[in-house]
Amino acid sequence: MNKPITIKEIARDLGVSFSTVSKSLNDSSEISEKTKKKVKEYAALRGYTPNQIALSLKNSATYTIGVIIPDIQNSFFASVLKNIEIHAKSYGYRIVTFFTNETLKEEEESLKILSKGLVDGLIVCPSDETFKKKKFDHFNAIKNMNTPVLIFDRVDDNLEFDSVSVDDYKSIISALDYLYEKGARDIVLASAIPDVSVGKKRKEAFEKFITDNPEVNGTILEADDNTVLKSMLYEALDTKKVDAVLGVDIESTSLANAVVSMLGKTYKEEISLIGYVNKQFNRLIHPRVSYINQYPEKIGQIAVDMIVDKIKIGNSKLLNKEVIETTLAIKDTSR
């Protein structure tokens, strides 16, 4: 009896890559209809039949990627997760997802469960509490295991794994340059994530900008309690001269927008606001908030590409760190 043809053999015969064949057979939108048709017709001609169970037994693979997310209610993480799932399917993988609710204990338990051979690779965004307590032992414990790990968004020097993130420092500098060019000289930085790596990096960029531009009055307001941060914003915008607010996360941006409305201030004429938003919701409201676009869909796609590559070639110690450029989307809350 003839041995069934494999994806690798189909790729070789057609002169295309392994991923092109895999995505074509999984009907990925990333592959042209012409290529998908050619691959599927050849696979059918050669009698190719996918058999995940047999492949799993043969390769000791699960064809499953574990994903650990800190907060599913955060639209950024939800969008990244959605695109991880869509892109993983194009490779023939499924995902299993754990939510930590920003707690260290849930993160430790999730990593412990998923690193016991239940998945072929892990895509993780660390929790807020992990950074607050500066505890990374649970990540260090899986370094010597065979399960590849990729960190997204909240990268840190203590996490020596492959990673994909945005250029947080440059993002803030670009937003501040824009506000400065439009005349802002009394700028408030608001943060609801003071302990998280991205919050610290964005704050660092703000401090550097203020140092380099002594004519700008910079105020930093940060608290991980939204009620406290809202009160701080209200007092600052009510009693001080403030012509711009820069939110470093979705929560602080939303709070600043609410405070501006409560005080009856007029955007563009009196004050400007740039921050981070739920892009889907932002399209539906007025005024639409000007924001820094982090491209979560791209983060999800690149994360899957990177973890699948690591699974295929083996868990190499050579680290790959992808950094995505952000863009400013100027809407109704800034000049």
Side-chain angles (χ1 to χ4, degrees):
M1 189 169 92
N2 292 333
K3 182 180 178 183
I5 193 169
T6 65
I7 291 179
K8 185 176 181 181
E9 290 168 335
I10 294 173
R12 180 199 63 203
D13 293 349
L14 295 179
V16 297
S17 68
F18 179 97
S19 64
T20 296
V21 175
S22 176
K23 290 178 180 181
S24 295
L25 293 173
N26 283 281
D27 206 30
S28 170
S29 60
E30 298 175 41
I31 307 299
S32 70
E33 292 302 321
K34 181 179 178 181
T35 300
K36 285 192 282 188
K37 184 174 184 291
K38 180 176 72 171
V39 170
K40 289 177 180 179
E41 286 179 350
Y42 185 75
L45 179 67
R46 295 296 307 275
Y48 172 76
T49 304
N51 188 331
Q52 292 292 79
I53 296 175
L55 286 171
S56 296
L57 291 172
K58 178 181 177 181
N59 301 325
S60 298
T62 66
Y63 291 91
T64 303
I65 296 171
V67 184
I68 301 178
I69 301 287
D71 181 8
I72 191 56
Q73 294 183 357
N74 182 304
S75 62
F76 170 76
F77 294 133
S79 183
V80 173
L81 177 61
K82 175 184 176 181
N83 286 278
I84 287 174
E85 181 176 29
I86 291 171
H87 203 54
K89 284 181 180 178
S90 72
Y91 280 108
Y93 283 82
R94 293 293 183 265
I95 67 169
V96 56
T97 309
F98 281 55
F99 305 113
T100 65
N101 297 315
E102 298 285 13
T103 65
L104 175 62
K105 182 179 179 181
E106 289 293 329
E107 184 174 279
E108 289 173 333
E109 292 180 357
S110 299
L111 274 175
K112 186 176 181 181
I113 292 169
L114 291 175
S115 63
K116 290 183 176 180
L118 295 179
V119 296
D120 297 333
L122 285 164
I123 298 175
V124 185
C125 182
S127 70
D128 185 2
E129 192 174 14
T130 295
F131 291 101
K132 280 182 181 177
K133 294 187 175 180
K134 297 181 174 61
K135 290 199 66 176
F136 302 97
D137 292 346
H138 52 305
F139 281 103
N140 294 329
I142 62 174
K143 273 186 187 178
N144 297 323
M145 297 183 180
N146 292 324
T147 305
V149 177
L150 178 137
I151 304 296
F152 80 88
D153 188 46
R154 297 174 177 177
V155 298
D156 188 89
D157 291 339
N158 292 293
L159 300 167
E160 298 178 352
F161 300 99
D162 286 355
S163 64
V164 56
S165 61
V166 299
D167 192 332
D168 287 299
Y169 189 96
K170 187 176 178 181
S171 300
I172 294 299
I173 294 297
S174 295
L176 289 166
D177 282 341
Y178 181 87
L179 291 170
Y180 184 90
E181 288 173 7
K182 296 300 179 179
R185 294 295 182 271
D186 298 280
I187 306 174
V188 167
L189 183 85
S191 173
I193 50 171
D195 299 302
V196 177
S197 59
V198 294
K200 291 179 178 179
K201 181 62 68 175
R202 294 166 188 175
K203 175 183 175 181
E204 178 187 334
F206 182 80
E207 291 173 330
K208 180 65 165 60
F209 182 87
I210 298 303
T211 299
D212 291 345
N213 298 275
E215 69 277 18
V216 176
N217 297 313
T219 302
I220 297 173
L221 304 178
E222 51 185 2
D224 55 13
D225 184 309
N226 286 346
T227 302
V228 173
L229 183 57
K230 186 176 182 179
S231 296
M232 294 167 71
L233 280 163
Y234 191 96
E235 181 180 357
L237 270 61
D238 188 39
T239 62
K240 298 179 181 179
K241 182 184 177 184
V242 176
D243 50 25
V245 178
L246 179 57
V248 305
D249 54 89
I250 294 175
E251 287 78 9
S252 62
T253 304
S254 297
L255 291 172
N257 191 31
V259 169
V260 169
S261 177
M262 291 167 64
L263 291 171
K265 290 183 177 291
T266 306
Y267 280 121
K268 299 183 182 181
E269 286 79 9
E270 292 183 84
I271 194 166
S272 292
L273 170 64
I274 297 177
Y276 294 80
V277 302
N278 178 331
K279 289 193 287 185
Q280 302 298 327
F281 180 70
N282 198 49
R283 294 190 184 104
L284 305 175
I285 65 172
H286 184 79
R288 296 168 302 162
V289 176
S290 299
Y291 64 93
I292 296 169
N293 191 348
Q294 301 183 87
Y295 298 103
E297 59 282 352
K298 189 180 292 187
I299 291 176
Q301 179 178 328
I302 293 175
V304 172
D305 287 339
M306 290 174 66
I307 201 69
V308 170
D309 281 347
K310 209 62 174 273
I311 292 169
K312 300 288 184 190
I313 67 175
N315 197 9
S316 167
K317 291 185 178 180
L318 183 64
L319 297 183
N320 183 13
K321 297 184 180 294
E322 292 288 330
V323 179
I324 297 171
E325 296 290 328
T326 62
T327 58
L328 272 180
I330 301 303
K331 301 300 179 182
D332 305 318
T333 62
S334 58
R335 298 185 180 91

